[in-house]
Amino acid sequence: MINRDITTTASNVKWQKYFLPALFLILLAVFIVYPIVSVFENSLRIRGELGLDNYVRMFTQPNFFKIIWQSSLVALLVAAFSTTLGLVIAVIVLKTTLPLRRLFSFATIIPLVVPGFVATLAYIFLFGRNGLITYRLLGLDWNIYNWPSVVIVQCLDFTAIAFLLISAVLITIDSQVEDAARNLGAGEWEVFRTVTLPLLKPGIIAAMILIFMRSMANFGTVIFLGGPFSTLASASYNQLIGAYNIETAATFNALLLIICLIAFWLFLRAQSASNRIRGSFTGATRKPLNFSRPVKVVMCCIASVFAVFILMIFISVFLAALTRYIGADYTFTLDHMMRALQRGSSGIMNTLYFASGTALTVSIAGIILAYIITRIEFRGKGLLDSLATMPFAIPGTFIGVGYILAFNQPPLLLTGTWMIVMAVTIIRQVPLGLRTGVAVISQQDRSIEDASSSLGAGKLTTFIRIVLPMAGPAILVTALYAFVSTVQTLGAIIFVITPGTKLLSVDVFEAVYKGEISTAAALSVIMLVLSAVGMLGIYLIQQRGKTAKWIQRVVLQRPL
Amino acid sequence: MDTESGAAAPVVAVGIRLHNIDKSFGKTRVLKDFSLDVFQGELCCLLGPSGCGKTTALKIIDGLLEHEGGRIFLGDKDITNLPTQKRNLGMVFQNYALFPQMDVFDNVAYGLRRRRVPNARIKTRVHSALEAVRLVGYEDRRIHELSGGQQQRVALARALVIEPKALLLDEPLSNLDARLRTDMRQEIKRIQKNLGITTIYVTHDQEEAMSIADRIVVMNEGVVEQIGTPREIYENPETRFVADFIGRINFIPVEHDNKNFKLLGKEYPLPGELVGIGNARLICAIRPERVQVTKEAISRAVVLETFYIGTGVRYKLAPLDYGGAEIEAEVYTPMIIFGKGDEVGVEMKSEDIRLFPDGNQ
Amino acid sequence: MQKPKWPSMLLSIAVLTVLLPFAGCTGDSGEKVLNMYVAYGGPEIVADEFEKATGIKVNFLPMSSGEVLTRLKAEKANPQTDVWFGGGSDAFLEARNEELIQAYKSPNAANVDAVFKDADGYWTAVSIVVVGLVVNNDRMASKGLSVPRTWADLTSANFKGEISSPDPNISGTAYTMVSGILQILGEDKGWEFLDKMFANIDFLEKSGSAPPSKALQGEYCIGVAPDPHLTPMRNPGAPVSAVFPEDGVLAWPSPVAIVAGARNLENAKKFVDWALSEEGQKVLMQASPRVPVTNVETLAGVPALADLNMVGYDYIYWGAERARVLNEFNSRYPQYQ
């Protein structure tokens, strides 16, 4: 009798054990793998027939190949410049005592809350052919619709990524190593070059790869500022939205995805390599580097130019939102804001609901998925983990095409509904939820859960009563990050929304598209407020949280 | 010019002097008018509890911390305003501060490279340094592959290879386990003696200081309590703090009448400098091993507990007619061992008794 | 087995369903309901007013006309909707060829010019999209240029580098302009004309809304745009105005059609009738200010059909010639490659 009990329990357990992973696997397969397959399959069709024609064209027709070449070049340039800028500013903010540090760190992360494509409007306004600075002030007839403008604006946007990533590493460097170098005779610059910089390598590499991926996936800036210049992402956008040529769009996106996945794979490898050489620096003390005058001046200049650019753009956006007609009429008015609130009201509400729904789903699903992956052994664990992290590497245009192709027929006819939009926003944030959940759970002491189990609690009870409460603040933070991220999200959304399912980011995009700078600016300000509220929430929670105090340090710049 | 066991020829040793150093962190004064005179070629320990300022003093000597007021001398040279890079002092940090991305060879070679020493010379000197710390063959190892003890030795080699004028060690052994600690400290002592290099060694472990130091500087709350050889510190503590901090000691409050003092029923004359001290209260200190336990004596006590400590016996005694205090006595190679409840006699020689003012410490 | 995820999923689904005005689109024939795919502005207004007028509830799904086409193709065996309202005429042409829409000659279609409807009644335009110019007056003034009135004016060398145009390979607007000029002037003179005109254009925008937007921002003096009157209307106070070339206005129809196999056929017919009636046309004018196909009164800023020198643009012919024309275009102007 005992034997029978054990086997039934065992098979019950096995069934229970595999249920959730299987469920997640199916969901991820439907919403990640299926669209990917659809895109690749479609790229192999030319006018309905199977064939490699599309790819042949892409690599042989000169202007197609040019697009590939251009995209990669720009992405590499942007990655290099942004990372350098981010490095310089991170060093200034965290390792010097220069007076304007706080300003620099503030300016650098402004692009995180102001949508990138609005920045392009401001950039045109300031530096365009009719630009405030270039034309009206300096009288230059300057054509900015070329790839250098794209590089500049993308750098303004993405430096924040490099800054944050490098800062996170910089904070963990214990000054003792630098003191050791000084003691052995190294001048300040040598200390930086031979000790600090090599220790920053993981952050620098991560930043470069991530920014490369972001640049490859970026289409907004290219469309508005590129002029004749096209990239894979902008070409696929135009093919889809402009020409409605799905097969060509699919082909471009297929290649784009392959490039991004390779970059992502390199990123993961670099991460694991750097994890091995971690120094055991806990409770690090930070001492500034006392660079020589010329070095300080150069660093300051670079950072200042950068900060000035960003602030100019930021201020322009506010001016555009709050004055009658920026450039012509500077009388203060709340008209644009009122109109934006009205016109965008459904967009605002929708954005709030989508963002909240996504935040809720992602944070909870994320922690459950994280728990399954960290604590339970089962076959296919690695697959589940990789699959759930993959959306991180998939460009927005790809998801857009993929979802249109995958879900425009029964039984999964989701196009035109809010469900496809929700699916897109959730899938985008799943990697965030998972990674945060994993970080939180692996920090928790397993023995507490083991104690709970040995006292007779099933895995579910343990999860609900022990793991969830301990992870509470982290879940909340994840939810808020997902919230802010969704508010800002544009990429994939633009392909699956319909003129009815208004979202704030889409409203802004459309306004920018039409060159309506006042409306775009007003809507951006609203978006900014929503994002800021979310960020404030994150800040307040992390004030009390034990982990990751560096946001506080970095943004508010506590004294060294 | 390499000797068989040194990183190079013994250096020309210089003394280190600190004059009236003040250091505050925010509102806290960590070093108060701190002065120190380290003789050339000696191993001087800065000993004291956490927060007493010993590491701060060391870092100030190396130029890693700013200070307010006071001067620092290396030999005859005033190095107060000299930046760290130019002081040529070898420093071993508490967490070793090895460069994690470099291998052992590059770590040790770092200082030489900064001095633009030609590559061939670097090779030989690094090899000698590793020989001195017995780590030859480890040149290509990565830091995270090394054990704590090995890392410590690499840190030492790195500091010595540059032929510094003096060696500064900041609690170099505190991260190691007990056995390794005792072995390593002898190593360090041996190397130091071989090189004859002036060394300042910071520690909170008094046993460590006692076993290797030529002289000990006992510090507390930013001031120097006493400077002396281990023997002097141990046998003649000058302040209550020193008496308490070093070794085991009994503190017993005593009554006095300005001429004599009374301890456990027996009277002793006050030492010369304390005669006529007025109303100040006094407390006496005596080492447990100086407390003689006999069958018969004027002062009597009851054995509360007996500990067998291998080298002898430690008694916890409650003196009779005294109420309150417990004292410890240690007897090495005892002829009899008393048990719990036994009544014994307690004798103390007046030259073994130290007296300190009570109430301020 | 309870999964903690469901309650929140259900909650968000519930919340969203309550607050988002979308439903799927199936309805039974005979009921007072009409399903519609819409590629037209202001669909809520249209649906509202139609319901007020006829009591028929409209379930509409807004999407781009390319998407409608794809959907209809996919749903051919089992049509999910009744009416296709708004979009590019080329899409409707293709839909007719693929038998995705059915013929219905509304009595009200008699008011509409033959140019703007399918001869067999497969589709009828409710308004037209006009190709014109958006001009930035301030920039013109600062450059000392005078506002162009005709297509011919654009060939003047004064405008070099100041004209923004979309790429005819991608944009219907630009293709209409190119082929329209070929129609007006004939192919030989037409290409000569275009040579001069495109000599003034530095690069081609990838989207149709970029040129008017650039003109609005003052980046270029002139932008070739569809429905150029919309730009000054939406940006009062901006120094822009719309120009409808006096030597020939090109336009393409914005049609409505009944889907083949529509379940609510009667209601669909009623909608077509209404859209072409005077009341319907008034509502459409409010919903999306376009040049109407009938002579209903236009909003301020919107020209009436009669005010424009319309060219009878043969979109069927030029639709078929598209590949050849674009080929010629791309080889004549390699600077845009």
Side-chain angles (χ1 to χ4, degrees), chain A residues 14-73:
Chain A
K14 201 161 188 204
W15 178 82
Q16 284 177 3
K17 189 166 87 145
Y18 276 95
F19 180 78
L20 269 184
L23 181 69
F24 274 113
L25 210 53
I26 292 174
L27 282 173
L28 290 173
V30 166
F31 286 104
I32 299 178
V33 179
Y34 177 38
I36 292 182
V37 167
S38 306
V39 173
F40 275 95
E41 193 232 10
N42 228 271
S43 71
L44 292 169
R45 285 186 186 285
I46 181 122
R47 271 182 287 280
E49 306 289 312
L50 276 176
L52 282 172
D53 262 32
N54 287 326
Y55 287 101
V56 170
R57 265 199 310 154
M58 201 160 60
F59 284 102
T60 54
Q61 276 197 5
N63 36 321
F64 278 9
F65 192 73
K66 199 162 80 149
I67 290 178
I68 302 174
W69 167 242
Q70 284 174 173
S71 313
S72 316
L73 203 60

Side-chain angles (χ1 to χ4, degrees), chain A residues 174 176-177 179-188 190-191 193-195 198-199 276-279 281 287, chain B residues 59 62 64-65 84-85 89-91 93-95 97-102 110-111 114-116 144 158 162:
Chain A
D174 192 335
Q176 272 216 345
V177 218
D179 276 342
R182 287 191 183 97
N183 169 268
L184 292 166
E188 293 298 293
E190 273 187 311
V191 171
R193 187 175 59 85
T194 56
V195 176
L199 286 175
R276 275 184 273 125
I277 317 186
R278 219 70 352 217
F281 298 134
K287 204 167 139 175
Chain B
K59 289 205 166 148
D62 198 24
L64 297 175
L65 280 178
T84 313
Q85 286 84 344
L89 296 167
M91 176 104 157
F93 293 82
Q94 187 168 5
N95 290 321
L98 295 174
F99 306 123
Q101 73 277 14
M102 302 182 201
Y110 189 84
R114 299 282 83 76
R115 287 159 174 72
R116 313 277 179 261
H144 57 90
R158 184 176 70 174
I162 59 171

Side-chain angles (χ1 to χ4, degrees), chain A residues 236-545:
Chain A
S236 69
Y237 174 88
N238 287 320
Q239 288 297 320
L240 189 60
I241 300 275
Y244 215 75
N245 191 342
I246 287 210
E247 284 160 12
T248 315
T251 317
F252 281 137
N253 272 308
L255 189 62
L256 190 54
L257 180 69
I258 293 174
I259 295 178
C260 283
L261 283 180
I262 294 177
F264 188 56
W265 175 73
L266 287 172
F267 173 73
L268 291 176
R269 269 192 47 168
Q271 290 286 72
S272 66
S274 78
N275 278 340
R276 275 184 273 125
I277 317 186
R278 219 70 352 217
S280 57
F281 298 134
T282 46
T285 46
R286 263 191 306 130
K287 204 167 139 175
L289 288 164
N290 194 9
F291 293 113
S292 63
R293 201 94 227 258
V295 173
K296 278 198 226 179
V297 165
V298 167
M299 286 175 80
C300 219
C301 282
I302 296 177
S304 306
V305 167
F306 178 75
V308 162
F309 257 83
I310 292 193
L311 286 172
M312 279 206 288
I313 289 187
F314 189 56
I315 294 176
S316 306
V317 172
F318 267 97
L319 279 180
L322 297 170
T323 61
R324 276 259 188 79
Y325 199 77
I326 191 175
D329 188 352
Y330 283 105
T331 26
F332 180 80
T333 173
L334 284 174
D335 271 353
H336 300 306
M337 294 300 303
M338 296 277 84
R339 234 175 345 132
L341 277 171
Q342 248 179 359
R343 200 172 113 173
S345 67
S346 63
I348 298 175
M349 295 315 281
N350 287 350
T351 302
L352 278 175
Y353 288 126
F354 275 107
S356 317
T358 306
L360 210 57
T361 316
V362 160
S363 50
I364 295 182
I367 196 91
I368 296 175
L369 197 54
Y371 185 69
I372 294 173
I373 289 181
T374 358
R375 294 293 197 233
I376 305 185
E377 288 303 318
F378 59 93
R379 282 217 298 260
K381 188 159 89 142
L383 178 66
L384 191 55
D385 191 347
S386 315
L387 212 51
T389 313
M390 215 154 105
F392 185 67
I394 304 181
T397 49
F398 187 97
I399 292 195
V401 180
Y403 272 51
I404 290 181
L405 286 173
F407 301 123
N408 67 351
Q409 315 158 26
L412 280 169
L413 182 63
L414 296 177
T415 47
T417 66
W418 61 266
M419 285 188 279
I420 195 175
V421 182
M422 189 73 161
V424 166
T425 51
I426 291 180
I427 281 290
R428 294 297 261 165
Q429 305 301 332
V430 160
L432 166 77
L434 174 63
R435 294 265 76 84
T436 318
V438 166
V440 163
I441 291 188
S442 9
Q443 271 191 27
Q444 284 179 5
D445 194 350
R446 215 199 159 127
S447 45
I448 302 183
E449 298 162 42
D450 288 343
S452 161
S453 306
S454 68
L455 287 168
K459 276 250 174 315
L460 181 64
T461 323
T462 305
F463 178 75
I464 295 180
R465 283 176 183 272
I466 307 283
V467 177
L468 271 188
M470 287 213 284
I475 296 182
L476 214 46
V477 170
T478 312
L480 282 169
Y481 270 121
F483 178 87
V484 172
S485 200
T486 306
V487 168
Q488 304 264 334
T489 240
L490 181 76
I493 299 257
I494 196 131
F495 300 97
V496 297
I497 54 105
T498 55
T501 350
K502 286 284 186 182
L503 281 183
L504 209 47
S505 56
V506 177
D507 282 342
V508 179
F509 186 80
E510 284 178 357
V512 173
Y513 213 67
K514 302 204 171 84
E516 293 168 6
I517 191 172
S518 311
T519 316
L523 289 168
S524 297
V525 168
I526 297 176
M527 241 174 98
L528 195 153
V529 168
L530 286 181
S531 303
V533 165
M535 299 283 250
L536 189 64
I538 295 173
Y539 170 71
L540 286 174
I541 294 172
Q542 292 206 315
Q543 274 282 62
R544 316 220 235 115

Side-chain angles (χ1 to χ4, degrees), chain A residues 19 27 66 121 124 128-130 135 141 145 227 230 238 244 350 353 415-416 418 498 500 513-516, chain C residues 5 19-20 62 66-67 70-71 139 142-143 161-162 203 206-207 209 213-214 216-219 234 337:
Chain A
F19 180 78
L27 282 173
K66 199 162 80 149
L121 266 192
I124 293 176
R129 291 164 51 107
N130 191 30
Y135 187 67
D141 218 348
Y145 298 104
S230 285
N238 287 320
Y244 215 75
N350 287 350
Y353 288 126
T415 47
W418 61 266
T498 55
Y513 213 67
K514 302 204 171 84
E516 293 168 6
Chain C
K5 199 176 108 181
L19 281 140
L20 294 178
E67 231 192 300
T70 313
R71 278 253 200 157
R139 190 175 172 89
S142 82
K143 295 271 173 189
E162 287 295 332
F203 68 89
K206 298 287 185 291
S207 83
S209 359
S213 127
K214 295 261 158 63
L216 175 63
Q217 290 169 71
E219 294 288 298
R234 295 160 65 120
Q337 293 314 310

